[in-house]
Amino acid sequence: ITLHHVLYPVYLFVSAIDLYFSVYIYCIFRMHSLFLFFFFFLMIRRPPRSTLSSSSAASDVYKRQDLTQGCDLGNRATVDGLSDGQACLWWSQGCSIGCDKCMTEIDKDWTASAAPPQAGKIGFRTRYCNASFNSAGAPSPMMSSTLPKEAWTLNLNAIEGSEQDSYRYNPWRAPGYAPIVDPCGQAGGKLSSQHIGGDSIFTDNKFASMGDLGSNLPATPTDKRPRWVAGANAKVAWGPLYNHGGGYQYRLCPAGEPLTERCFQKMPLEFDRTKQTMVWNTREIPGATSKTPVVPPNQTLRWPVPHPVFVDNGTWPIGSSWARDPIPRINDNNLGLADPESCPGPKGTDGPDCPGPHCGCLQFEPPCPWDEGQLNCTGAGCHGNGMGSCSSDWVVGLIEDEVKIPEDLAAGEYVLSWRWDAEETAQIWANCADVIVTN
């Protein structure tokens, strides 16, 4: 993953299935049109705060977006090319564990760089602050990673803390400890005066401009917010484009309080650890074999992750639960990583064994048994040759979980924050949605 590679966890909508409400973080550009049709009758769809930059009004997400950059990727995966504005372009960059702030907050003219031999990969062997700084509220000193090695998603053969442990400063290596610019993301992931490159972009509009904070976006009208029940489970889901590894958490903050990271840290939600599930958005399953289940009549294949990894040791807030990204990356090469000869560059995933099971370096066992390496996959629902059946840049579905709404949670209005701490880069993606909790 280089500076021009970004992740697009972009869309939230709410449902009324099984007598409770759910919030999903969706990549609408990957939805198949029939999948949208099916859920149209079952779900009350609402956008997250960050979809306001689409060409539609906040209450109408079915109109085409009029922007030419950012999240206009619906054309690739749906017949009508529906998209959702720029909801994918809200994140924080230059964020390292042990630091007080992200570099995009520290230096208004920052130009991103990292250490060789992969100086173009933000966070590679680089901590973006004075080594004596610590995240607000974190124990001091917080200098080293805290993540148990069984929850690593990349460079698994590295000796922890060694020079070849090249991702040791990045957010996932100490879940929740790295600073974040805003718990609801920052438009474009930077200020317009900063130079990070690639898809660190944002088209200014009447709702937001480059560098604006997601916590300042207008709230969803009260009558359009989902209702959750205290003591019940709520389904939540997200989907990546470029897979940075790492892991994620969902948190709540009362809507009447300032939407700060500290507020969300007071109310992390626990996962139901039996429910992590992969959900395909396409009628046809790319890379399907005889081991692939038959797609059900509703055109949506669901596959429980067989060995999900959750972490509550070494996390912040202390003891809070985080989920590992279950989709393994396939490295192009191991330049600057441990055991580099196991995946020699520079061709990597464009090499002579690609596509196929011997292409690149699979970081850990994929969750679906029919994954046979990178696919020769083109057209709607595919990401060129950058994805496997359930590995690497998997763009045809969602990672779904159920979170537990505390039984003693007071009824009222809340904001849900989703935070993904990347491991391969010094980046954190975030998005927010408005919910109402009842007893």
Side-chain angles (χ1 to χ4, degrees):
I1 302 297
T2 56
L3 295 181
H4 65 278
H5 286 152
V6 297
L7 185 78
Y8 295 164
V10 296
Y11 187 69
L12 297 91
F13 70 88
V14 300
S15 68
I17 299 177
D18 298 332
L19 303 181
Y20 61 84
F21 286 84
S22 308
V23 172
Y24 287 73
I25 299 177
Y26 246 91
C27 292
I28 192 171
F29 59 82
R30 295 198 307 265
M31 284 183 170
H32 192 281
S33 58
L34 291 184
F35 185 82
L36 281 169
F37 179 79
F38 168 70
F39 277 108
F40 178 80
F41 289 101
L42 293 182
M43 299 187 177
I44 306 168
R45 298 185 52 211
R46 291 292 177 258
R49 292 183 172 193
S50 55
T51 58
L52 292 174
S53 61
S54 68
S55 62
S56 61
S59 61
D60 181 3
V61 298
Y62 292 98
K63 297 182 182 296
R64 293 180 183 275
Q65 77 162 42
D66 56 3
L67 304 175
T68 58
Q69 64 179 19
C71 310
D72 58 341
L73 299 178
N75 294 310
R76 187 185 57 183
T78 63
V79 173
D80 55 14
L82 292 173
S83 192
D84 70 323
Q86 299 180 100
C88 66
L89 294 176
W90 297 78
W91 76 103
S92 302
Q93 303 195 76
C95 310
S96 306
I97 63 174
C99 293
D100 182 57
K101 295 180 179 180
C102 302
M103 278 302 299
T104 48
E105 259 194 302
I106 295 171
D107 183 355
K108 65 180 180 63
D109 298 313
W110 184 51
T111 296
S113 63
Q118 295 207 42
K121 182 183 289 188
I122 190 169
F124 192 86
R125 297 185 182 178
T126 302
R127 189 199 301 270
Y128 293 107
C129 68
N130 183 305
S132 64
F133 289 173
N134 288 281
S135 300
S140 180
M142 217 307 292
M143 295 308 306
S144 302
S145 65
T146 61
L147 184 71
K149 195 163 186 180
E150 60 267 22
W152 289 20
T153 56
L154 296 146
N155 200 21
L156 273 61
N157 293 327
I159 297 174
E160 186 168 4
S162 68
E163 183 180 19
Q164 291 183 332
D165 185 10
S166 299
Y167 304 132
R168 60 190 179 275
Y169 301 129
N170 290 341
W172 179 238
R173 294 297 297 276
Y177 281 107
I180 188 171
V181 174
D182 189 85
C184 302
Q186 181 182 34
K190 67 169 189 175
L191 302 175
S192 58
S193 58
Q194 294 166 336
H195 307 281
I196 303 179
D199 281 339
S200 296
I201 54 177
F202 195 83
T203 298
D204 295 350
N205 55 80
K206 65 181 180 180
F207 297 107
S209 300
M210 171 78 81
D212 284 356
L213 304 182
S215 58
N216 293 330
L217 288 172
T220 304
T222 302
D223 62 339
K224 301 183 186 305
R225 300 179 191 178
R227 295 178 180 271
W228 286 357
V229 178
N233 282 7
K235 286 184 177 180
V236 288
W238 64 279
L241 176 56
Y242 291 102
N243 187 354
H244 290 65
Y248 55 95
Q249 184 185 69
Y250 297 92
R251 314 85 63 76
L252 290 174
C253 174
E257 297 187 17
L259 300 181
T260 63
E261 179 67 7
R262 189 177 293 275
C263 181
F264 285 108
Q265 287 175 345
K266 294 177 181 178
M267 208 180 306
L269 298 178
E270 175 62 83
F271 290 92
D272 183 330
R273 301 188 180 198
T274 67
K275 301 296 186 181
Q276 192 177 64
T277 302
M278 299 184 66
V279 183
W280 274 258
N281 291 343
T282 49
R283 288 180 300 171
E284 298 180 358
I285 307 302
T289 70
S290 59
K291 298 179 181 179
T292 308
V294 175
V295 177
N298 66 13
Q299 306 295 324
T300 304
L301 178 64
R302 301 173 58 84
W303 183 262
V305 175
H307 303 292
V309 175
F310 296 91
V311 182
D312 53 22
N313 180 24
T315 61
W316 185 261
I318 294 174
S320 64
S321 295
W322 293 70
R324 185 186 72 166
D325 173 6
I327 310 299
R329 274 273 285 129
I330 300 177
N331 281 357
D332 293 341
N333 60 71
N334 276 359
L335 185 64
L337 306 179
D339 195 16
E341 294 307 313
S342 67
C343 185
K347 292 185 179 299
T349 49
D350 295 322
D353 295 326
C354 301
H358 302 294
C359 175
C361 290
L362 187 67
Q363 296 298 289
F364 55 88
E365 194 71 20
C368 65
W370 61 91
D371 190 296
E372 297 182 350
Q374 286 201 321
L375 302 172
N376 186 14
C377 184
T378 59
C382 292
H383 181 205
N385 290 334
M387 61 176 280
S389 296
C390 59
S391 58
S392 210
D393 296 338
W394 184 71
V395 298
V396 292
L398 319 172
I399 301 161
E400 179 186 277
D401 293 278
E402 291 190 18
V403 291
K404 300 178 179 180
I405 310 305
E407 189 171 358
D408 60 352
L409 185 62
E413 298 178 354
Y414 292 85
V415 176
L416 176 74
S417 168
W418 163 84
R419 169 173 167 158
W420 180 353
D421 282 16
E423 183 171 11
E424 193 169 15
T425 53
Q427 297 170 317
I428 299 172
W429 275 264
N431 224 321
C432 286
D434 298 281
V435 299
I436 295 174
V437 173
T438 62
N439 298 123

